[in-house]
Amino acid sequence: MKEKTLRTRAKIGNEMIFLPVVIIALCVISGLINPRFFTIANFLTIFQQVAVLGILTSAMLMLLVMGAIDLSYGALIGLCSVILCNLISVQGVDPWLALLIMFGTALGAGALNGLIITKFKCEPLIVTIGTSYIYLGFAQVISQGTYQSIGGAFPFIGTGKLGLIPMPMIVLVIVLLLMFVFLRYTPFGRKLHIIGGNSEVAFLSGIPVKAYKLLAFVLGGGICGLAAFVLTSRIGSALPTNGSGYELNALAAAIIGGASFSGARGTVLGAFFGVLLLGIVNNALNILGVDAFYQTVVLGVIIVIAVIFSNIKSK
Amino acid sequence: MVEKTVDYLIEAKGISKIFGGTRVLDHVSITLRPGEIHSLCGENGAGKSTLIKVLSGAYKPEEGVVAIGGKEYPHLTPLIAKKKGIEVIHQEIILVPQLTVAENIYTDVPYRTAGFFSMKKTCEAAKKLMDEIGIQLDPYETVERLSTADQQFVKILKALAPNPKVLIMDEPTAMFNMKDTDMVLDLVKNISKKGIGIIYISHHLKEVAKIADTVSVLRDGKLISTYHARDGAVDMDQVTCDMVGRPVDMFYKREKSNTGDVLFEVKGLQLKESDTPVDLYLKKGEILGLTGMVGSGRTEIIRAIYGLDQRFAGEIRKDGQTLQIHNPHDSIQNGIGYVSEDRQKSGLVLPLSVLSNLTFLKLPLKKGLISTKQEMDISEDMIKKLDIKTPSMFKETGMLSGGNQQKVIIGKWLHKGFDILILDEPTKGIDVNAKFEIYKLLHDLTKQGKSLLVVSSDMPEVISLCDRVMVVRDGKIAGEFTGGEITEENVIKSALEVK
């Protein structure tokens, strides 16, 4: 019995007990105040709204597990967005080629972050704050400060539906499932945990720490590119600031879900709950008609409370 | 002579401390007089640290009371204890590495000019304090530039700065090599001569025998015995017996195993061009001890063999084949494993479970993905085989005791499979019972034909565990002993260059 409890807790983490309770409580309260909250359409909307954040959070979670972080994701989303739209509508490049270039940029940006961090043994936090300005700057250079349209390309990925289910939600679920399998069941994923938990042990155990780190950053960049693709397709145009703030929300969601700056901790399910919590709070505040400026305050308060509680729980 | 309570600097009267239903201390009473060195002995978990924390006001006892200078303090706090002249030197480094020696000694800034911190006055005071007890350090030096041994001295000075009446020292020699240990012991004696009472905690019974006026033994939270040196020399075998609760030999006894042919050879190993080449070999089923003073170069040699550090020259051969070893990965591929000295820093992934730590070197795969079921089978098997005490295989390794943590590390290598295992201080900080379990485990490995290279400073360990011992001094092999030649005298003489 005790074995089983410990095993379950080891598998899913303490946050899994606390977060669903909070999420359900929030739903019940919102639903009681405004019954419109409890409609299928509204829940689908929530999922559509959190899809981009959820995709990005899976990348952030992977890096946190490895004991790293990438704060350039917000800027990178902006850059990818701008490149995609600029190539299609200004340069007249074939949309598929534009998409390829965009993904190339995303992977390259991840690789650049990873290379600087592994080659020069720098703190990921500072490096990626630095590169975020580089990516944002390039986005501004390319866009010249103007809105650029995606020119009607790829509407399906951002606004399409499969039956009732919005496409972004499907992409999100696929990404989360893949990340779940990757982190839990592949040797690479397990070794990221070892590196994050104790990189000295990883090195002594013959794990090529630098190569693994670099690869994780590249993969993270790719996932960030996917998030940018979904976002751009949904809103149909690009601004350099398209992704601003996403990196911190993704970080908050992952941490609320049980990840830790010190590495080796965190699960995809937890991160998903974190994302869902942020999405539901946002949606509920909208439906309840809370003033937009106060919404930001409330969101901040909820993030802080969630972090405090998940910390108490995990002790 | 009838002793009055007032004579005691500090007195624990029937102290009991209960944590979550467990009696960590059970009616323990001890006393300390001026100038007395009172040694507390006991295995890990016997209650020594808890007792110190009660004496220094960090824990409030459920029963009993602490009296300082004859006055009882039922509500003792760390602040009151400090004011009454009780100073504790903890094992952990509590210094600020970036500050100077003098600044570290006087953290509350007592020496000022016009209200502002005066470096000059502080350093002068520090110098004076050092002269009094015979320590030579530059007060202007920053602590991070000092050796670990000198940092320990700074800690002692820092505790002496407020002129304490009682000094509590927790394993003060843990960071020192043999030569410096004697210096520390002299220092402790000097301090006691100034009339300061000292409570001295150490695992090293030899040190205790050298300096203690009184020896008290704790076991499972109970005070088992108290011996006074004035009644004749304290019998350390009896003390060990009291600690463990059953008669034990201080030495682990093993039947020496049959060693086979030479399996592993290191020839002409030089870390730098100027080094004298080092040669060593290891037979199948043999335990080779590599000993010497701390800083003699033992760790450097095994690090170079394992491929952690660059080497200037040297050939590594196994089964007559030259190995290309440039990093740990190469070593592991060639059947060499490494158990580092620091379990917490470089041995375990503390936030991960026993299971994850056991299996990650060789993950069981099914269709390219990790098989959780097989992982659980492997872990269950290993936990049984090595008798790892853990509530569950899913428990974080950070929650295990030192001995069990070490077993997890050895289990990890067993699962991976190896021919040669290099172990650096395999039983450091592990209590006697667990130590013997590790020895037995290592011995069993040699029976299976595994070869072990053990670096150790623990003399009884070297003597009782190893088939052959090589002594390292200044990066060179200074002596080699086999079988009956392995005696404490031989080893120490060769380690210290005593003719």
Side-chain angles (χ1 to χ4, degrees):
Chain A
M1 183 65 200
K2 209 184 165 196
E3 175 82 353
K4 211 166 184 184
T5 323
L6 269 161
R7 194 173 125 198
T8 321
R9 287 176 79 178
K11 268 194 173 163
I12 59 176
N14 295 303
E15 303 72 32
M16 291 331 95
I17 305 150
F18 158 72
L19 274 179
V21 173
V22 174
I23 289 171
I24 291 168
L26 264 175
C27 289
V28 170
I29 295 168
S30 312
L32 286 178
I33 301 176
N34 188 340
R36 201 155 59 82
F37 182 85
F38 267 132
T39 55
I40 291 176
N42 189 44
F43 277 105
L44 291 176
T45 310
I46 292 175
F47 271 98
Q48 175 145 13
Q49 282 168 345
V50 299
V52 174
L53 177 63
I55 294 166
L56 198 65
T57 303
S58 72
M60 193 65 88
L61 171 71
M62 172 182 67
L63 292 186
L64 284 169
V65 160
M66 192 184 68
I69 193 172
D70 192 332
L71 289 184
S72 71
Y73 285 161
L76 185 55
I77 287 182
L79 179 62
C80 288
S81 231
V82 167
I83 284 179
L84 185 66
C85 293
N86 185 273
L87 285 176
I88 294 173
S89 62
V90 179
Q91 316 291 337
V93 175
D94 176 72
W96 288 101
L97 181 62
L99 188 64
L100 201 67
I101 294 173
M102 185 210 79
F103 269 108
T105 310
L107 292 169
L112 179 67
N113 287 341
L115 270 176
I116 298 170
I117 287 158
T118 52
K119 272 275 173 222
F120 303 105
K121 294 178 185 150
C122 298
E123 273 301 317
L125 183 84
I126 304 299
V127 171
T128 55
I129 287 178
T131 55
S132 78
Y133 284 103
I134 300 175
Y135 304 152
L136 179 67
F138 273 118
Q140 286 167 339
V141 169
I142 295 168
S143 75
Q144 292 298 317
T146 58
Y147 260 107
Q148 294 183 333
S149 159
I150 196 169
F154 309 112
F156 185 63
I157 201 82
T159 56
K161 278 186 180 174
L162 220 63
L164 263 181
I165 319 288
M167 265 315 279
M169 179 172 164
I170 293 170
V171 177
L172 172 67
V173 170
I174 292 172
V175 169
L176 290 178
L177 280 178
L178 286 177
M179 186 53 78
F180 172 77
V181 172
F182 172 71
L183 284 179
R184 186 176 289 282
Y185 292 109
T186 67
F188 194 123
R190 179 66 62 87
K191 281 167 187 171
L192 291 186
H193 284 84
I194 305 287
I195 293 171
N198 192 331
S199 63
E200 178 78 9
V201 171
F203 173 66
L204 289 173
S205 308
I207 297 172
V209 176
K210 285 185 175 178
Y212 274 47
K213 274 193 173 175
L214 178 59
L215 276 172
F217 271 98
V218 174
L219 182 58
I223 296 171
C224 181
L226 182 62
F229 180 41
V230 174
L231 181 71
T232 317
S233 162
R234 201 183 80 207
I235 54 183
S237 64
L239 267 184
T241 52
N242 258 4
S244 77
Y246 267 101
E247 73 282 5
L248 293 181
N249 282 335
L251 182 64
I255 301 277
I256 290 172
S260 144
F261 286 109
S262 50
R265 289 178 212 269
T267 59
V268 170
L269 191 61
F272 172 66
F273 283 149
V275 169
L276 211 54
L277 179 69
L278 295 189
I280 287 174
V281 169
N282 235 331
N283 178 274
L285 293 175
N286 268 328
I287 283 195
L288 301 182
V290 176
D291 179 279
F293 298 130
Y294 279 109
Q295 282 192 18
T296 314
V297 176
V298 174
L299 184 66
V301 170
I302 297 227
I303 290 177
V304 171
I305 291 176
V307 169
I308 292 171
F309 266 87
S310 51
N311 243 355
I312 294 171
K313 276 277 166 192
S314 65
K315 266 172 193 160
Chain B
M1 190 179 96
V2 181
E3 286 163 352
K4 280 181 290 178
T5 321
V6 193
D7 286 334
Y8 297 127
L9 290 176
I10 191 164
E11 190 181 3
K13 295 179 172 176
I15 300 286
S16 294
K17 179 76 203 163
I18 297 159
F19 283 124
T22 318
R23 253 175 207 271
V24 186
L25 286 177
D26 191 0
H27 297 98
V28 173
S29 301
I30 63 162
T31 60
L32 184 72
R33 271 172 302 177
E36 180 185 3
I37 302 176
H38 190 147
S39 186
L40 281 184
C41 298
E43 295 195 308
N44 293 344
K48 293 167 298 181
S49 311
T50 313
L51 182 57
I52 289 181
K53 289 201 168 121
V54 170
L55 288 177
S56 58
Y59 289 161
K60 194 174 154 17
E62 267 75 31
E63 289 165 356
V65 71
V66 176
I68 302 173
K71 186 169 177 262
E72 292 189 353
Y73 288 87
H75 300 289
L76 190 64
T77 64
L79 201 65
I80 298 175
K82 220 174 157 63
K83 273 192 185 148
K84 295 292 161 192
I86 296 170
E87 284 290 328
V88 186
I89 305 176
H90 294 282
Q91 248 174 294
E92 312 84 59
I93 298 276
I94 38 156
L95 302 172
V96 186
Q98 296 84 357
L99 294 183
T100 63
V101 169
E103 283 171 294
N104 267 289
I105 296 174
Y106 297 104
T107 35
D108 49 353
V109 198
Y111 298 100
R112 306 177 196 215
T113 305
F116 290 100
F117 167 71
S118 161
M119 182 62 109
K120 189 161 168 277
K121 283 185 191 169
T122 307
C123 285
E124 279 166 3
K127 190 83 200 128
K128 195 164 151 264
L129 183 66
M130 289 183 210
D131 290 343
E132 269 176 43
I133 55 166
I135 293 178
Q136 272 153 12
L137 287 175
D138 179 2
Y140 286 95
E141 188 69 271
T142 52
V143 163
E144 61 192 346
R145 294 168 59 109
L146 299 180
S147 67
T148 342
D150 284 343
Q151 292 188 5
Q152 296 293 312
F153 286 129
V154 177
K155 276 163 69 179
I156 296 173
L157 286 166
K158 180 186 163 85
L160 286 174
N163 284 318
K165 294 196 182 73
V166 175
L167 193 58
I168 301 175
M169 305 174 97
D170 194 356
E171 293 279 356
T173 58
M175 298 290 176
F176 293 95
N177 61 37
M178 278 180 241
K179 223 158 61 184
D180 290 337
T181 298
D182 284 338
M183 273 175 71
V184 178
L185 296 184
D186 285 341
L187 186 65
V188 171
K189 277 188 182 162
N190 281 342
I191 296 170
S192 74
K193 278 183 194 137
K194 292 166 58 132
I196 296 173
I198 294 170
I199 294 179
Y200 189 91
I201 295 179
S202 177
H203 274 123
H204 297 273
L205 295 182
K206 283 204 151 169
E207 293 174 6
V208 171
K210 273 185 199 159
I211 61 163
D213 299 310
T214 314
V215 179
S216 289
V217 181
L218 287 174
R219 186 177 78 227
D220 300 333
K222 293 191 184 72
L223 184 70
I224 301 297
S225 49
T226 300
Y227 302 96
H228 297 280
R230 59 164 190 248
D231 305 334
V234 180
D235 180 359
M236 283 303 149
D237 286 338
Q238 186 58 45
V239 169
T240 318
C241 208
D242 292 349
M243 278 168 61
V244 188
R246 58 179 166 81
V248 286
D249 203 312
M250 275 177 79
F251 289 84
Y252 168 77
K253 287 207 179 68
R254 62 167 279 211
E255 24 168 333
K256 302 281 170 181
S257 49
N258 297 320
T259 54
D261 298 333
V262 171
L263 172 74
F264 183 69
E265 276 177 288
V266 176
K267 283 201 165 147
L269 179 72
Q270 283 172 288
L271 308 185
K272 300 188 299 287
E273 196 175 356
S274 55
D275 286 351
T276 319
V278 169
D279 293 337
L280 60 86
Y281 66 89
L282 190 56
K283 291 181 192 165
K284 208 166 156 54
E286 184 183 43
I287 302 183
L288 171 63
L290 211 54
T291 188
M293 296 295 159
V294 170
S296 60
R298 302 164 312 181
T299 300
E300 286 75 4
I301 290 174
I302 54 167
R303 282 179 65 92
I305 293 174
Y306 191 63
L308 286 171
D309 295 325
Q310 293 283 327
R311 47 181 193 272
F312 169 74
E315 198 186 352
I316 297 172
R317 299 161 71 106
K318 188 182 151 199
D319 284 327
Q321 303 277 317
T322 304
L323 306 180
Q324 295 301 325
I325 290 178
H326 302 291
N327 54 43
H329 181 74
D330 297 341
S331 298
I332 296 168
Q333 291 299 311
N334 286 299
I336 304 170
Y338 175 70
V339 177
S340 73
E341 179 177 358
D342 193 326
R343 283 187 292 282
Q344 316 244 335
K345 263 197 206 140
S346 52
L348 289 169
V349 187
L350 294 175
L352 293 185
S353 64
V354 172
L355 175 136
S356 298
N357 272 283
L358 281 172
T359 58
F360 79 88
L361 277 178
K362 195 172 88 186
L363 291 164
L365 298 184
K366 216 166 134 186
K367 291 179 190 152
L369 296 180
I370 299 169
S371 158
T372 312
K373 195 186 164 304
Q374 282 185 50
E375 270 198 294
M376 284 165 59
D377 291 345
I378 292 164
S379 306
E380 206 177 312
D381 188 46
M382 207 49 93
I383 288 170
K384 239 185 241 154
K385 209 151 106 192
L386 305 188
D387 194 22
I388 299 169
K389 285 177 197 78
T390 170
S392 153
M393 66 176 83
F394 302 102
K395 193 83 179 164
E396 289 175 14
T397 45
M399 316 291 272
L400 301 189
S401 72
N404 286 304
Q405 289 184 339
Q406 192 71 317
K407 285 182 184 174
V408 172
I409 296 172
I410 294 172
K412 160 178 101 174
W413 287 108
L414 272 176
H415 169 58
K416 169 69 189 170
F418 62 86
D419 302 317
I420 297 145
L421 191 62
I422 303 173
L423 302 110
D424 197 352
E425 303 285 1
T427 63
K428 192 175 166 185
I430 294 178
D431 64 41
V432 180
N433 277 327
K435 254 187 191 183
F436 284 13
E437 284 185 48
I438 302 272
Y439 294 158
K440 184 164 179 322
L441 184 59
L442 296 182
H443 186 210
D444 287 345
L445 290 177
T446 62
K447 280 187 190 159
Q448 298 160 27
K450 313 281 188 201
S451 307
L452 309 178
L453 178 55
V454 176
V455 167
S456 177
S457 305
D458 185 333
M459 208 46 71
E461 175 169 301
V462 169
I463 293 168
S464 52
L465 187 67
C466 301
D467 297 300
R468 193 156 53 87
V469 173
M470 293 178 105
V471 181
V472 183
R473 190 178 68 228
D474 299 333
K476 292 184 288 242
I477 303 293
E480 184 175 339
F481 306 99
T482 324
E485 294 165 15
I486 310 175
T487 63
E488 192 151 8
E489 202 189 349
N490 278 343
V491 172
I492 287 187
K493 269 186 186 164
S494 126
L496 286 174
E497 200 176 9
V498 186
K499 291 273 151 50

